[in-house]
Amino acid sequence: SGTDATLQVEKLTGTQALDAGVTLNTAIDLDTDTSDNVVNTPALTATVADLRLERGDRLALKDAGTLTAIVNVTVVIGITY
């Protein structure tokens, strides 16, 4: 019961390893106790410079908790330029 895991998006620059980047959003709770087809829209960081992607920057998913009971997660990221 309760929240099984969380998910965030992070920006990686240069040769940064996973989990070493800048977190771009508040954590999304991936909860197996809720109904299917839940849409989450997390708040973005207020630091505008962190939201700007430069050539060579990468986005990665940063998870925490126990993900074994989590299935069929879709992540959509909208980028404008």
Side-chain angles (χ1 to χ4, degrees):
S1 66
T3 301
D4 299 293
T6 60
L7 186 65
Q8 292 178 292
V9 176
E10 69 174 341
K11 178 175 83 171
L12 302 168
T13 60
T15 59
Q16 281 182 317
L18 293 174
D19 295 333
V22 175
T23 302
L24 301 181
N25 65 293
T26 57
I28 299 170
D29 291 333
L30 300 176
D31 191 345
T32 58
D33 291 341
T34 59
S35 301
D36 291 343
N37 301 319
V38 174
V39 176
N40 289 294
T41 306
L44 296 176
T45 180
T47 308
V48 175
D50 288 344
L51 295 172
R52 290 193 176 114
L53 296 175
E54 301 293 333
R55 185 177 306 273
D57 289 351
R58 297 161 288 138
L59 296 178
L61 297 179
K62 182 177 183 176
D63 57 70
T66 305
L67 282 81
T68 53
I70 307 298
V71 295
N72 299 324
V73 174
T74 302
V75 176
V76 178
I77 298 172
I79 298 177
T80 59
Y81 61 98

